[in-house]
């Protein structure tokens, strides 16, 4: 699941989340990225609504998941949390999620 990815409109992390945005000013010219979440019958979803072609990297060590975007991104305010994630912290272009034990995490792009 490691690696830099480029795609169309949104980076999607499937699992769920509890989000807290950091109070750090964005770099000059940073793009604000709204974060959305939702619960579905078999999974929770976290969506980072990025512009087209924004690169990101997802890494997971145990139940700790890091989503790192290009430095020109400033993650937005937290949505209502979906399921399967215990916590998330957003700091400028990086989100740190703690997922529930045994939760699967999948990343993909939506057109």
């Amino acid at each position: 699941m490691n690696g830099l990815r480029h795609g169309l409109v949104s980076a999607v992390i499937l699992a769920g989340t509890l989000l807290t945005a950091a109070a750090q000013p964005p770099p000059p010219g940073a793009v604000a990225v709204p974060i959305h979440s939702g619960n579905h019958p078999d999974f929770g979803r976290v969506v980072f609504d990025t512009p087209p072609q924004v690169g990101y990297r997802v890494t997971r060590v145990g139940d700790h998941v890091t989503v790192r975007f290009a430095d020109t991104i400033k993650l937005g305010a937290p949505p209502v949390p979906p399921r399967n994630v215990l916590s998330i912290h957003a700091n400028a272009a990086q989100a740190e999620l703690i997922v529930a034990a045994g939760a699967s995490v999948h990343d993909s792009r939506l057109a």
Side-chain angles (χ1 to χ4, degrees), residues 39-111:
N39 283 309
H40 301 275
D42 295 327
F43 61 91
R45 179 187 316 247
V46 176
V47 177
F48 300 92
D49 195 6
T50 64
Q53 304 303 317
V54 168
Y56 70 98
R57 182 180 316 268
V58 177
T59 57
R60 181 175 184 173
V61 177
D63 293 332
H64 183 253
V65 178
T66 301
V67 184
R68 174 79 176 144
F69 294 92
D71 288 336
T72 56
I73 296 300
K74 170 63 174 142
L75 296 176
V80 173
R83 62 193 201 190
N84 298 341
V85 174
L86 304 176
S87 68
I88 186 168
H89 300 279
N91 185 355
Q94 183 167 302
E96 304 281 337
L97 293 83
I98 305 298
V99 298
S104 295
V105 176
H106 308 278
D107 70 291
S108 64
R109 293 276 185 169
L110 297 177

